[in-house]
Amino acid sequence: MAQMTTETHSGSPHRKARTHRVSDSLPGETLITWLRDMLLIREFENRCAQAYQQAKIGGFCHLYTGQEAVAVGTIQSLERDDPIVTAYRDHGHALARGMDPGACMAEMFGKITGCAKGKGGSMHMFDKPNWLFGGHGIVGAQTPLGTGLAFAARYEWEVMGKPCPNPGVKPGDKPKKKVSLAYLGDGALNQGALHEAMNLAGLYSLPVIYVVENNGYSMGTAIERGTTMAHDLRKKADAYGIRGEIIDGFDVIDLYDDFKPLVDWCRENQRPAFVDLKTYRYLGHSMSDPQKYRTKEEVDQFKGKDSIDRLASQLMGERKGKDGKPILSEARFTEIQTEVKEAVRKAMDFAEESPTPDVEAELYSDVFINPQPNLSPTRDYIHGVKNPLL
Amino acid sequence: MTTTLEHPALPEPAILPDFTKPLPSREGDRIIQFREALREAMSEEMRKDSRIFLMGEEVAQYNGAYKISQGMLDEFGPLRIIDSPISENGFAGLAVGAAMYGLRPIIEFMSWSFSLVAADQILNNVPKMLYMSGGQWGCPVVFRGNDGAGGQLGSTHSWCVEGLYANVPGVKIVIPSNPYDAKGLLKTAIADPDPVFFLESERMLGDKAHVPPEEYYIPFGQAALLREGKDCTIVSFGRPVNFCLEADEALRAEGIECDVLDMRTIRPLDIDSIIASVKKTGRIVVVDQCWPFASVASEVVTQVIERAFDWLDHQPLRVNTEDVPTPYSKVLEAEYLPNPRKIAAAVRKTLAS
């Protein structure tokens, strides 16, 4: 078994010499929020694992533990109204985008208060107010969607001259140049959907960034066993005339310093990009993965490079505020950890106590927006309750 | 009287067409081709709504592989009439994302046979998005193109997808048999906030008929009773409706008179009209250009048995394509498809004592 190392699986060697860091201008409080978000995802996933073992969560459940810096760093590089779409390892993106942890957990518990009223589950986190266009279950299928989001965002200012009436849009608003993010795992690199999507994005000049969360494994298959040019995935983007970057996903501030300028470039030039974002998942592919394909030493090596520890130590050490003191004190850090634990505990309670969907109202609703008689031989589709997020 | 449809998944209320307005007459001398009727429907809707765009292979500079979109590039420009590369899964998925964002894509498949490579998008994402997202996002895309045997195209290019796709809840399936219906149904499809699969036929694109100049919308789920008779009910949809009319003609010469129902939409299915007719005639023949096993015809027969078993004087019969891959040879293909001879024979069989 070939072992992956923190040296070989890293974006650091590709880092360009920086004249300045965009993160330098960020207020200390912003960085503390990032830390909080990352801690929230970590704690949330730990509690998910417990709930799954207690059979409170069903189906497939893919945890994000280890990859927190990716969701937080990339989403923080966006505007609030930039659309994003992701695959099935989606809890991290949902939380980083601002989904209420209660709605996220309740969805997995199959409750009516879940973000999709208990109709989607772990792999299908949708959040319209936060402009998250879903977690998607089929590997790679979300990449044409992300391309379509970019197409629509471009069409909005180029053809319509006015924004589509979406959340946050006020009458009289001018359309803005947006960037869409389409997340995918390294397993999706080998799906035709991605390659068709990248060709379309290159051809139509669409502002979409394909963010490959390269954790080294598509389920149990190490990346070099599944894809060609694994040592330099940018070559895949080259073929479609798309700008490619390799970015390190183990340090959220470095990630931001590399990713934010790329987002700005895509927005300004309305061009696509492709990012090989090096990261690592600490847990199995899903909750039912014995992980025979990698060694404990390998996992431990990456845990030694943990992005949360790293950010915490930066904020409590070399990163100083105007007063010359570290921007995060030990006491505040402990406070945040307690806060996060409390928030997730509340989410668990909320999910636990929420009612299950009413079968009569919900099983047959949300099939059609405009239900008509005789669409089904057995049922007429009725409207259930409104989605709690809307 | 237009109605306004509000739904949380809609960025703004949808204005549904006025279906109470009586439809204009089918009689007249504004004779145009089926393909022109389709073009008029798309162009009229595109003039009214800048969210609508047309994307597909050869729709723009080539003026349409089947000349359906001829001239539309000139009128609407390259940002709204968009040539796509041959990547059905890619551009079908692009349409899903664009529709979720708030646009109203029309996607042309040169042939529905090619939609099979986009099956993941059109079957996994399109019909399920509203449900999976708990009512947050719908997917208002019209997918349209040629369905069924085009004429010696062989197995891979002759798909009738309605048998497969009608199995999936969440889409509306429209299948016109003539230019008049094609225009009115396509306009309704574009206005509808749900995804619609619109099935045309290469063999009918040159068919000519009167299409009225005024705007009209044909409601989904309302069959057209094209011939009236007391002896047997013939139910069909799409191109084979025309074979049913030929068969009916021949049968009338023998003194057999049939109700001929053109369903126009498969989902919703106007089962009420079928049942009303069956209660009158006591006999039914369903004509379907799909394979027989688990087909739309099977569905119609099942529903008839469920609802009108006691009214039947003869077991329901189906005329489908033969249960083999589509052959190339002209003689084989002709025998493979439903035709007036087979339909008339089935009707006679229901009447034989």
Side-chain angles (χ1 to χ4, degrees), chain A residues 204-220:
Chain A
Y204 298 151
S205 192
L206 302 177
V208 52
I209 305 181
Y210 302 100
V211 182
V212 183
E213 296 194 55
N214 179 356
N215 61 25
Y217 294 95
S218 58
M219 203 164 156

Side-chain angles (χ1 to χ4, degrees), chain A residues 115 128 155 196 204 369-370, chain B residues 50 83 90 101 136 172 194:
Chain A
C115 65
K128 194 166 194 176
Y155 188 95
E196 295 193 15
Y204 298 151
I369 290 174
N370 179 22
Chain B
S50 64
D83 277 329
Y101 192 100
Q136 294 185 74
K172 297 177 177 174
D194 288 312

Side-chain angles (χ1 to χ4, degrees), chain A residues 236-254:
Chain A
K236 294 184 191 284
D238 276 355
Y240 304 108
I242 293 181
R243 178 174 167 180
E245 300 284 347
I246 296 176
I247 295 181
D248 194 84
F250 299 96
D251 180 318
V252 69
I253 297 178
D254 280 348

Side-chain angles (χ1 to χ4, degrees), chain A residues 67-128:
Chain A
Q67 302 184 200
E68 296 87 349
V70 178
V72 172
T74 51
I75 286 170
Q76 290 301 329
S77 306
L78 297 178
E79 303 288 333
R80 284 288 303 163
D81 52 7
D82 287 328
I84 72 170
V85 66
T86 184
Y88 46 80
R89 196 180 303 284
D90 55 355
H91 314 162
H93 307 92
L95 296 175
R97 200 75 217 250
M99 185 188 286
D100 172 51
C104 194
M105 191 60 82
E107 183 58 32
M108 287 185 267
F109 278 50
K111 301 297 181 74
I112 187 70
T113 51
C115 65
K117 300 199 285 182
K119 294 178 178 182
S122 164
M123 298 191 282
H124 307 112
M125 295 291 170
F126 287 82
D127 187 352
K128 194 166 194 176

